Amino acid sequence: MAQDPLVVHAIINGEQVPTKRRYARENPANPEEIVGYGPLNTQEEAIRAIEAANEAFPTWAATGLDERIERMRRAIAQLKEKTPELAQLLSREHGKALYDAEGEFGISIMWMEYACDTVKDVLQDQDQVQEHDNGKTIITSDAIGVVSAITPWSYPFSLSTIKVAPALLAGNTVVLKPSPFAPLAVTKTMEIISKEFPPRVLNMVHGEAEVGVELTSHPKVAKIAFTGGTNTAKHIMKAAADTIKHMTLELGGNDAAIILPDFDVNDERDLRRLVISNFLTAGQICMLAKRVYVHRSIFDQFIDNYVVAANQWIRVGDPFNPKVTVGPVNNKRQMEYVQSLIDDAKKRGAKVIELGTVLDEELFEKGYFMRPTLVLGAGYDDPIVVEEQFGPTVPILPYDDEEQAIQLANHSIYGLTSSVWGDPEHAIRVARRIEAGTTMINTAAVQGLDVRFPFGGVKQSGIGREYGAEGLRSYVETHVINVPKHLDLPYIPE
Ligand code: NAD
């Protein structure tokens, strides 16, 4: 049901700042409906936000860890209360099915709580004093400074809180910039969080590259925490080079799934799990299985059973319909890009099989909907296989032996996650040889994600890790205070 458009603002100096310029965010299921308006901030406003965060930094960094945790827990309690309405807003502006939006909130709150529970242990070397044969050494974990957090539209709540929570807990201050393709729920979330912290500790601006460039080049920004495309990250690294900033980059992926000959093609739950790892959020997750390699000995049977499983699970339609598992694609540009990859595959001779059912044909025609598809007969180097599709289509290809499967999986500029399906011990042996930040066995994508362990990519999928202890530690730097007993070196002449 259409509602009045929501208007959100930047948050600078603890205040919501109205702006002259704004952009509309439409509902991808029904683009005629405007869900809300986000501000188009200027470079000057970005600078004000950075300066506010910079002024707040010394006091916030000196604030005790207990108080920081207490404030974050209060924010989490409110987010839990507001989850139903925030998830609905996210679903309307993003296009992901409501259960999927609720899942995003669930996993993010789990991570925020984990960060609160563990931050003391993880940063336990704060003020750790070591007495030794050459005197005394104190090792502290110091906050880094102002963090620019820049996030994409695919998981806007998750990928923002995954940065904001550890950054603030570790004593940093933050300027967050979300994507214009899903700015509303995340802004309402940051309004809630920022109220629990002293003014200026958490700031937020909106906009595109102009604001982004300021956030990544300003000398008072000490760290960039970025999730988004690999090409954008190249601009960011260049912008940050002049002032040598800390960086955590979570980038694109083209995750391979290898189906071993000992995979049970009749296991319906396994097949359903694989289908979900291909099509959840209409294929728009960095860590989905985006190309599947199946051993030739089981290929035909696998495809038959996969199509049955996909047809059962995939129900495309209105994100608010509880029967729907796959909503529209988030935006027109993405829809056209994915379609161009499918058209290209067809031109090269591939067979494209439509999957699932469309529950509401009329809405389907109106919105940015795509019929999920399986691509058979593509070449190993075709764009549909080597590019990150980021949409509801998946190529499935045969391989002949294990070496070839490993080679194909590693034949990519990316290395975010991957998965191996079959006998677990056999799968682990293969997994050890895959170039990726995470390899899951008999599951993939968010289904296998565990917030207690680090997440991130190798190769052009990123630098650094989020989640787990490593995710927290990436927001501090080690500071050694040495008090040596022997102050003069014996070999230096008097
Ligand atoms: P994007 O790179 O286009 O945009 C990401 C963010 O960067 C947005 O807020 C955008 O406004 C901002 N931006 C654009 N130009 C900028 C510049 N020059 N300087 C600073 N900021 C700039 O990505 P997207 O289309 O929003 O998201 C899709 C991509 O994100 C996919 O490649 C996907 O794989 C990746 N992703 C990665 C992960 C991960 O954890 N590795 C998670 C989700 C999405």
Side-chain angles (χ1 to χ4, degrees):
M1 207 205 315
Q3 292 167 15
D4 286 343
L6 177 75
V7 182
V8 297
H9 302 290
I11 306 169
I12 304 174
N13 275 320
E15 286 168 8
Q16 291 185 42
V17 183
T19 34
K20 284 198 191 100
R21 294 186 306 160
R22 65 181 194 177
Y23 61 89
R25 177 60 203 153
E26 73 270 28
N27 176 351
N30 175 13
E32 284 168 12
E33 182 204 335
I34 301 301
V35 185
Y37 294 93
L40 260 180
N41 288 120
T42 59
Q43 210 172 349
E44 288 67 36
E45 284 158 344
I47 294 171
R48 269 178 55 208
I50 294 166
E51 284 177 346
N54 188 54
E55 279 163 32
F57 174 66
T59 311
W60 181 242
T63 303
L65 197 45
D66 284 328
E67 181 181 335
R68 290 187 224 148
I69 296 170
E70 181 51 37
R71 286 177 184 271
M72 190 58 75
R73 287 201 194 281
R74 286 206 299 265
I76 294 169
Q78 289 194 57
L79 291 178
K80 279 182 172 169
E81 230 172 77
K82 297 262 163 60
T83 290
E85 67 187 82
L86 288 172
Q88 286 192 16
L89 178 59
L90 177 62
S91 186
R92 281 175 65 224
E93 67 172 325
H94 184 287
K96 62 175 73 183
L98 186 57
Y99 78 89
D100 195 0
E102 286 165 350
E104 179 174 344
F105 277 80
I107 200 160
S108 314
I109 285 171
M110 198 191 294
W111 155 250
M112 292 172 86
E113 287 184 324
Y114 173 84
C116 288
D117 293 345
T118 56
V119 65
K120 272 191 161 170
D121 282 345
V122 172
L123 305 184
Q124 67 187 355
D125 53 6
Q126 279 195 331
D127 288 330
Q128 200 184 85
V129 183
Q130 292 181 25
E131 305 277 355
H132 47 76
D133 58 352
N134 191 28
K136 185 163 82 170
T137 300
I138 304 159
I139 302 174
T140 67
S141 294
D142 294 357
I144 300 173
V146 176
V147 175
S148 281
I150 302 176
T151 55
W153 49 263
S154 54
Y155 270 62
F157 179 83
S158 218
L159 297 167
S160 298
T161 49
I162 204 179
K163 297 169 177 54
V164 167
L168 296 185
L169 285 168
N172 305 279
T173 54
V174 174
V175 181
L176 171 72
K177 192 199 89 59
S179 163
F181 290 114
L184 305 171
V186 66
T187 307
K188 297 312 283 178
T189 300
M190 293 305 145
E191 283 173 15
I192 292 169
I193 301 180
S194 67
K195 284 206 183 93
E196 293 301 334
F197 288 81
R200 301 180 295 174
V201 166
L202 173 57
N203 305 271
M204 184 170 193
V205 289
H206 295 244
E208 263 296 351
E210 184 192 349
V211 166
V213 168
E214 200 56 54
L215 294 184
T216 50
S217 61
H218 194 290
K220 286 180 183 158
V221 170
K223 170 168 173 134
I224 298 164
F226 172 76
T227 302
T230 297
N231 279 335
T232 311
K234 291 176 189 173
H235 293 294
I236 289 177
M237 290 183 92
K238 285 177 194 152
D242 276 348
T243 44
I244 313 286
K245 300 187 190 307
H246 285 256
M247 247 182 239
T248 301
L249 302 175
E250 297 284 355
L251 311 178
N254 189 16
D255 301 355
I258 297 179
I259 315 296
L260 297 172
D262 46 40
F263 175 77
D264 180 0
V265 288
N266 294 313
D267 188 323
E268 287 173 21
R269 287 202 72 82
D270 273 2
L271 281 167
R272 195 177 81 122
R273 218 175 299 124
L274 180 62
V275 168
I276 294 168
S277 344
N278 300 137
F279 292 103
L280 187 65
T281 321
Q284 305 162 110
I285 308 183
C286 56
M287 56 189 299
L288 286 188
K290 293 174 182 148
R291 49 197 171 114
V292 181
Y293 299 105
V294 181
H295 193 267
R296 203 179 291 277
S297 63
I298 56 167
F299 191 81
D300 291 343
Q301 189 63 53
F302 174 91
I303 296 297
D304 288 349
N305 295 1
Y306 179 94
V307 170
V308 171
N311 285 343
Q312 269 169 10
W313 185 74
I314 296 172
R315 295 179 295 275
V316 184
D318 180 354
F320 283 85
N321 177 346
K323 290 200 185 89
V324 163
T325 51
V326 176
V329 169
N330 172 270
N331 59 78
K332 196 158 176 249
R333 188 183 67 186
Q334 192 60 25
M335 184 175 75
E336 287 170 354
Y337 172 68
V338 179
Q339 191 56 51
S340 74
L341 287 175
I342 296 169
D343 292 344
D344 174 79
K346 271 189 196 158
K347 267 195 217 129
R348 291 167 190 264
K351 187 172 154 196
V352 176
I353 300 172
E354 292 192 342
L355 300 171
T357 42
V358 173
L359 297 188
D360 183 341
E361 289 287 352
E362 205 182 315
L363 191 72
F364 188 89
E365 290 309 318
K366 256 195 200 171
Y368 304 144
F369 286 97
M370 292 187 77
R371 185 70 183 258
T373 49
L374 158 63
V375 178
L376 291 178
Y380 292 129
D381 287 318
D382 285 357
I384 192 100
V385 179
V386 297
E387 301 291 333
E388 180 185 33
Q389 316 100 3
F390 222 61
T393 186
V394 67
I396 303 189
L397 305 100
Y399 70 88
D400 292 299
D401 62 58
E402 205 165 293
E403 282 308 311
Q404 188 197 9
I406 293 165
Q407 216 174 55
L408 289 167
N410 291 341
H411 176 60
S412 174
I413 59 163
Y414 299 112
L416 190 58
T417 76
S418 54
S419 56
V420 188
W421 304 66
D423 167 69
E425 286 311 311
H426 183 189
I428 290 169
R429 284 198 302 279
V430 174
R432 287 183 190 280
R433 299 186 53 202
I434 309 282
E435 297 162 0
T438 302
T439 303
M440 297 172 203
I441 307 298
N442 289 323
T443 191
V446 281
Q447 298 168 110
L449 183 71
D450 187 328
V451 300
R452 295 169 301 175
F453 299 101
F455 177 85
V458 302
K459 301 194 275 187
Q460 291 187 35
S461 284
I463 298 176
R465 295 290 180 268
E466 293 187 314
Y467 288 129
E470 226 174 309
L472 276 161
R473 283 213 61 86
S474 72
Y475 287 94
V476 291
E477 33 196 0
T478 303
H479 182 185
V480 173
I481 301 168
N482 241 347
V483 195
K485 220 188 278 173
H486 307 293
L487 299 174
D488 301 312
L489 288 171
Y491 57 81
I492 295 182
E494 291 287 332

